Amino acid sequence: MTSKLKGAVVGCGFFAQNHLAGWKDIQDVEIVAVCDLDIEKAKAAATKFGIAYYTDDVNALFATQTLDFVDLPTTMETHESLVGAAVEQNIPVIVQKPFAPDFEGCRRMVAAAAERNVTLMVHEDFRFQNVFRAAKKIIDSGTLGKLTFGRFSWRTAIDVYSNQPYLINVKRFMIMDVGIHLLDLARFLFGEAQGVFCRTQQIKEGITGEDAATILLTHDNGATTVLDFSYASRRHPDLFPQTLVEIEGTLGTLTIGPNQVLTVHSDGQSREEQITHDSHSWTYEPWTQIQDSVVHTQRHFVESLRHSIEPETSGRDSLLTYGLLEAAYLSASTGQQVVPERD
Ligand SMILES: NC(=O)c1ccc[n+]([C@@H]2O[C@H](COP(=O)([O-])OP(=O)(O)OC[C@H]3O[C@@H](n4cnc5c(N)ncnc54)[C@H](O)[C@@H]3O)[C@@H](O)[C@H]2O)c1
């Protein structure tokens, strides 16, 4: 694979616009085909992004196109059949989060990909934000000592329902939609967790699932992390989509405040740096931070294919994040701490 990788994007809805724009920013990738059940959306994407082939039938896509990968920015209930179709053709896949509606579906996709040795990555973009890559470097340098405590806070009142109306009716809402990002982040920065306690709240009237949750994780290294996230927090300023972070270790503290100001206090000294995102011609506020991380996530997938290495958020790895999600829902319904399943 020395020439440009040829890819297809299946699903041309709301968030796919960021995927399509992101792929354009990656020089050694060419998106050669798009597909959506709604042919008008496929056609609009093809026109906007200069893509020669569009279809409303994924089987036609696989029958007519020679692909190095397929990108699936569709909602989770579609993932298993689409991943299955790609894997059957031995085509590497990157699939949006949440991975699947249930753990069994995730496991089946991982098993299908493993059986054919096909790369399967979950598009988990928070950990690829510049600010979290910077935090990870500092943690790995030992500046903070042994980690003891973390807090990841994501609270907003943005009208998520106008862009993603399906969220009004989902039973498992907030942990699936946002909590999963924070669970992955907690794993990325603190390692695996062996205990999960969770409380959920439904604050907005007329929705089906929870729109706020607080999770407490006990990590294998002894650290405790608290993840709190809400779509019903009327704050000023509203910091969507920023994650505020506090990390304590035996030698120091790292905080990520509003506008990605990262502060490290260690050895009696404090230093502060604003971590910026890369600039792209197509990004816009307040989504810039997320949009930039889409490109980093895509680059990581491409690097994984080029170098034949397992992506950080491979399907297999994502089972660990999904195990924490399942444990959180079980804890919320039983009021008990839950030990997450790890495979
Ligand atoms: N990572 C993030 O920061 C982030 C942000 C927003 C949304 N998302 C995720 O992105 C995913 C998509 O969300 P969305 O709001 O863009 O959804 P959407 O409903 O706007 O778009 C999905 C599209 O997929 C198409 N589709 C479904 N099944 C198909 C099939 N079999 N073949 C071809 N096309 C098919 C639909 O017609 C639709 O146009 C969700 O899982 C959501 O959680 C992630």
Side-chain angles (χ1 to χ4, degrees):
M1 286 194 283
T2 47
S3 53
K4 283 193 180 207
L5 296 186
K6 293 191 183 341
V9 174
V10 177
C12 303
F14 163 63
F15 203 70
Q17 304 309 309
N18 298 320
H19 287 229
L20 286 156
W23 288 124
K24 278 265 177 205
D25 279 1
I26 301 181
Q27 299 237 314
D28 64 344
V29 163
E30 183 185 0
I31 297 300
V32 295
V34 284
C35 172
D36 197 294
L37 292 177
D38 179 342
I39 192 70
E40 290 307 321
K41 284 191 192 174
K43 185 178 175 188
T47 306
K48 183 171 172 192
F49 294 96
I51 297 161
Y53 179 90
Y54 65 91
T55 178
D56 58 3
D57 177 1
V58 78
N59 295 319
L61 172 84
F62 289 132
T64 59
Q65 305 297 307
T66 304
L67 300 171
D68 295 311
F69 71 88
V70 60
D71 178 21
L72 303 176
T74 56
T75 47
M76 62 181 172
E77 67 285 354
T78 67
H79 291 171
E80 193 172 350
S81 65
L82 292 171
V83 166
V87 164
E88 197 147 301
Q89 307 284 327
N90 298 318
I91 300 173
V93 197
I94 178 166
V95 57
Q96 252 299 339
K97 49 59 65 174
F99 199 3
D102 56 48
F103 216 164
E104 284 312 310
C106 302
R107 288 180 175 125
R108 283 192 295 269
M109 283 186 270
V110 170
E115 199 176 315
R116 287 183 170 254
N117 201 17
V118 171
T119 299
L120 170 61
M121 173 172 164
V122 176
H123 183 116
E124 176 43 71
D125 45 11
F126 273 37
R127 70 158 68 196
F128 290 102
Q129 290 175 20
N130 286 349
V131 72
F132 294 119
R133 302 315 270 196
K136 173 80 168 148
K137 263 195 195 153
I138 292 164
I139 291 169
D140 289 350
S141 75
T143 306
L144 305 180
K146 181 178 180 317
L147 298 189
T148 54
F149 174 80
R151 177 174 180 218
F152 298 82
S153 183
W154 194 98
R155 311 189 75 84
T156 180
I158 192 177
D159 176 19
V160 65
Y161 311 98
S162 57
N163 284 330
Q164 294 169 269
Y166 54 88
L167 293 176
I168 294 172
N169 299 317
V170 291
K171 266 198 196 144
R172 306 206 295 178
F173 169 20
M174 194 67 197
I175 306 176
M176 272 286 194
D177 192 56
V178 176
I180 192 117
H181 290 302
L182 301 189
L183 289 167
D184 180 66
L185 262 187
R187 287 188 54 233
F188 178 54
L189 298 177
F190 281 79
E192 303 311 331
Q194 54 188 254
V196 182
F197 187 82
C198 175
R199 178 164 188 259
T200 56
Q201 293 165 277
Q202 189 190 94
I203 299 167
K204 182 182 167 66
E205 286 179 13
I207 59 171
T208 307
E210 81 284 359
D211 55 355
T214 307
I215 298 176
L216 190 144
L217 300 176
T218 305
H219 289 268
D220 292 1
N221 62 5
T224 299
T225 57
V226 179
L227 325 180
D228 60 277
F229 42 104
S230 160
Y231 270 129
S233 296
R234 299 188 185 285
R235 298 181 159 220
H236 185 76
D238 190 309
L239 291 176
F240 173 86
Q242 299 178 40
T243 312
L244 304 183
V245 176
E246 294 166 18
I247 296 175
E248 295 177 8
T250 49
L251 299 178
T253 309
L254 180 156
T255 60
I256 298 171
N259 305 317
Q260 287 96 116
V261 174
L262 189 156
T263 306
V264 178
H265 181 78
S266 178
D267 239 354
Q269 294 194 322
S270 292
R271 66 183 163 86
E272 192 176 285
E273 187 186 355
Q274 183 168 29
I275 309 292
T276 52
H277 1 276
D278 301 353
S279 70
H280 306 272
S281 59
W282 50 275
T283 58
Y284 51 87
E285 287 302 329
W287 285 89
T288 319
Q289 183 174 11
I290 298 280
Q291 290 166 321
D292 179 39
S293 68
V294 165
V295 184
H296 291 296
T297 311
Q298 293 173 326
R299 279 213 182 96
H300 179 72
F301 177 64
V302 169
E303 288 300 303
S304 308
L305 296 183
R306 290 268 184 217
H307 301 292
S308 301
I309 51 169
E310 181 175 343
E312 282 182 27
T313 56
S314 65
R316 193 188 60 83
D317 176 88
S318 299
L319 292 181
L320 292 166
T321 309
Y322 209 92
L324 296 179
L325 174 139
E326 288 291 356
Y329 277 114
L330 183 58
S331 171
S333 69
T334 59
Q336 304 293 316
Q337 174 165 274
V338 173
V339 177
E341 289 183 43
R342 290 203 177 178
D343 52 33

